[in-house]
Amino acid sequence: MDPPTMWRATTVQACGLWPFAAGSGAPMTGVPLGQHLFTGATVCGDPLSWFTRARYISNPSLFMLGMPGLGKSTLVNRMLIGLSATGVVPLVLGDLKPDYADTVRALGGQVISIGRGLGGINVLDPGAMGAAAARIGGEAGRMLIAETHGRVLNMVAALITIVRGRPMDDHEQSVLSACLHHLREHTPQGRTLLLPDLLRVLNEGPDRVRAVTLDRGDDTRYRDAVDPLHRSLLGILDGPLGGTFASETSTRINPDAPAVCIDISRIGEADTQLTAAAMLAAWSDGLGTVAASHALADAGLAPRRWFFTVLDELWRPLRAASGIVDRIDALTRLNRSLGLGDAKITHTLKDAEALGTDADRAKARGFVERAGMVVCAGLPRAEMEDLGKIVGLSRREIELVSSWSSPPGWASTGANEEPPGRGRFLIKVGGRPGIPIKVAITDTERGLHDTNTRWTSNGYAEERAAERAAAEAAAVAAGPGPGPALEDLGPAVDLSRPAVDLSAPSSRWTA
């Protein structure tokens, strides 16, 4: 509904009305997020609705900052659920905790696990783009095949960059492109290409590949040109990346799924190379699915679909490899043309300052500058001052968000007191005044999204305690004697002796 026209008057002119009436200015387009912190009005919003329907923002992207434990991923989970109800397809291309797998399952979506011993991605597989090209056919299908070749080439080059720690040389990319063309021309229809096939082509040295190495018929010159590339490919197959990318894709993305989550949480925190490679492969496969969907829609073979990607814990992929920064940077510039909204979540702006090069740091700072919506949870005052130079925060807004970063009080009763900033957010759009909101989650959301599962009991200790209590009760009921229920109760206790020697000088510090 369109909001009614607001009028302002003095209490003399409007003495019969409530004298403190004022318009809240709360937007009502998009996913219901919560209540305005001061007026109590309902606040709705999400990047796609504010871009397509309300026209509040010119870029369907969201950047969220805040200290841990204040509900950042919970708010994005609500947007994900609400957008799914409108037909938007959520894509979580690299769930690192995981925070979104249970929500995607509840929505009837697809969860794909990637990691050593769990599943892998074949980076040479054209995936949904190849299937769409075959279905479309004609000139549009050939264009899609050409785009698929470029996507596969970039993905293999990114894996080699991760293994080497530096970019590929230009002539090596030419050799790699020639190998991929040769494989596609000489591979039977229906057979999937694998990375070991690239090694075989480099060993064989067909004419098309030798032509780009300028070997001039000299086998020694050819080996000198391709051996570094050969070693890097061996490093992908047998090195730190293991066999995650050596075989066929364990589970392909279902283009018709209502939601997709690629879960890489089983990869260890310290395994940065595999994390970076899995993230790049997941994004390449996911964005290929988006491109295939739009190609089919352009050809009139499928309905038009919009997508919403989530990149939580942004600091981890940013530090994993420089190629991630370039990929996310390209996404934030092209998501309007891709029919793709995105949400990026991190803790502070200082996460960008920890990157290795000045170029990467500048690209990461640009994520905030180009975001259509900037959402702040509790942040220290110094962090808010820095953010205010980019977003344009008033002194009152800085003080408000800074107050949310305070820790909870010392609860004298031992109750679980929440921090004052949990569930409170400030939404900033351009130069508009910020919208402070309070989010109250439902029981369903609380059950789907618990980021502290490792800090809760799994019931094992409680079950053992109940068994011991039952055994003790049975022993008491059986009377004196060597009751069989006491055999597993642990060492016997001599009740005739005091448990503590009160005469010892240090008895108050001993058990």
Side-chain angles (χ1 to χ4, degrees):
M1 296 174 59
D2 291 333
T5 303
M6 293 293 179
W7 300 89
R8 180 175 297 175
T10 67
T11 54
V12 174
Q13 294 170 313
C15 58
L17 302 177
W18 176 248
F20 305 112
S24 64
M28 292 292 292
T29 304
V31 177
L33 301 180
Q35 289 182 305
H36 196 286
L37 195 60
F38 302 136
T39 67
T42 301
V43 178
C44 302
D46 61 79
L48 273 75
S49 299
W50 282 13
F51 173 73
T52 57
R53 294 164 53 196
R55 308 283 183 182
Y56 293 152
I57 58 179
S58 59
N59 189 13
S61 63
L62 177 148
F63 197 95
M64 184 179 294
L65 302 99
M67 296 177 65
L70 297 183
K72 300 185 300 298
S73 53
T74 301
L75 181 62
V76 173
N77 238 311
R78 172 165 292 187
M79 291 185 184
L80 184 148
I81 295 171
L83 286 171
S84 175
T86 67
V88 175
V89 181
L91 299 175
V92 187
L93 303 176
D95 196 352
L96 291 158
K97 285 187 178 179
D99 280 340
Y100 305 93
D102 289 340
T103 300
V104 169
R105 290 191 186 96
L107 294 173
Q110 180 185 29
V111 177
I112 302 172
S113 297
I114 300 298
R116 292 190 176 95
L118 287 174
I121 296 177
N122 176 20
V123 294
L124 302 189
D125 188 353
M129 293 183 70
R135 184 178 174 186
I136 295 172
E139 184 64 24
R142 286 190 292 272
M143 292 175 60
L144 198 58
I145 291 175
E147 184 180 348
T148 303
H149 173 82
R151 188 178 296 274
V152 170
L153 176 62
N154 291 334
M155 188 58 233
V156 178
L159 292 182
I160 293 174
T161 298
I162 291 172
V163 171
R164 290 182 178 180
R166 61 176 181 83
M168 291 179 62
D169 296 329
D170 54 351
H171 74 276
E172 290 180 318
Q173 294 199 35
S174 301
V175 172
L176 192 59
S177 178
C179 289
L180 291 173
H181 280 302
H182 176 83
L183 279 172
R184 288 201 166 83
E185 292 170 359
H186 295 83
T187 300
Q189 188 73 21
R191 182 182 178 275
T192 305
L193 303 180
L194 301 173
L195 278 180
D197 295 329
L198 280 178
L199 292 175
R200 175 175 53 81
V201 172
L202 287 176
N203 277 327
E204 295 174 353
D207 293 339
R208 181 165 189 168
V209 178
R210 286 179 177 270
V212 298
T213 63
L214 301 180
D215 68 327
R216 297 183 176 88
D218 187 347
D219 192 64
T220 302
R221 287 173 60 90
Y222 174 74
R223 293 299 167 189
D224 290 341
V226 302
D227 278 353
L229 181 60
H230 197 157
R231 284 192 293 269
S232 296
L233 289 173
L234 286 174
I236 295 174
L237 297 175
D238 302 323
L241 303 187
T244 308
F245 307 101
S247 57
E248 294 192 19
T249 300
S250 54
T251 305
R252 287 188 175 184
I253 293 179
N254 179 9
D256 299 322
V260 176
C261 174
I262 299 182
D263 180 6
I264 61 173
S265 61
R266 301 293 182 89
I267 301 176
E269 292 275 347
D271 204 344
T272 56
Q273 285 192 335
L274 184 56
T275 298
M279 288 286 293
L280 283 172
W283 277 84
S284 179
D285 198 13
L287 296 184
T289 303
V290 173
S293 175
H294 289 317
L296 290 171
D298 293 340
L301 300 176
R304 179 74 65 192
R305 305 174 84 193
W306 294 343
F307 299 85
F308 180 59
T309 62
V310 177
L311 181 54
D312 205 344
E313 300 293 337
L314 182 63
W315 62 273
R316 275 192 66 187
L318 286 182
R319 296 182 189 179
S322 60
I324 295 279
V325 181
D326 294 327
R327 180 60 58 89
I328 300 173
D329 180 64
L331 174 65
T332 58
R333 297 175 185 272
L334 300 175
N335 52 357
R336 284 187 302 172
S337 60
L338 292 175
L340 189 71
D342 71 275
K344 293 178 284 293
I345 311 171
T346 190
H347 295 147
T348 70
L349 287 176
K350 293 182 176 61
D351 293 333
E353 301 302 324
L355 298 179
T357 65
D358 292 337
D360 284 349
R361 286 191 287 270
K363 292 172 186 175
R365 285 192 296 268
F367 299 158
V368 186
E369 297 171 353
R370 290 191 301 274
M373 299 172 60
V374 177
V375 180
C376 304
L379 287 168
R381 179 177 294 274
E383 182 70 21
M384 290 300 297
E385 298 281 356
D386 294 339
L387 182 61
K389 299 175 183 177
I390 302 175
V391 179
L393 297 168
S394 68
R395 178 60 50 188
R396 173 61 182 142
E397 290 170 342
I398 292 176
E399 293 174 354
L400 178 65
V401 179
S402 299
S403 69
W404 296 341
S405 64
S406 303
W410 302 105
S412 58
T413 61
N416 183 19
E417 186 170 346
E418 290 191 351
R422 180 170 294 174
R424 288 171 167 81
F425 303 92
L426 181 72
I427 304 175
K428 287 290 292 185
V429 174
R432 297 172 183 260
I435 305 172
I437 64 171
K438 176 69 171 72
V439 178
I441 63 174
T442 64
D443 291 338
T444 301
E445 289 174 300
R446 187 176 291 106
L448 290 175
H449 185 70
D450 183 5
T451 58
N452 294 324
T453 54
R454 293 292 176 90
W455 294 95
T456 57
S457 172
N458 63 355
Y460 179 84
E462 290 80 356
E463 291 177 5
R464 302 290 83 76
E467 291 175 1
R468 292 176 64 87
E472 291 175 359
V476 171
L486 294 175
E487 294 178 356
D488 297 328
L489 295 180
V493 179
D494 186 358
L495 299 179
S496 65
R497 296 180 55 193
V500 179
D501 185 3
L502 300 179
S503 63
S506 59
S507 62
R508 295 196 177 182
W509 301 100
T510 57

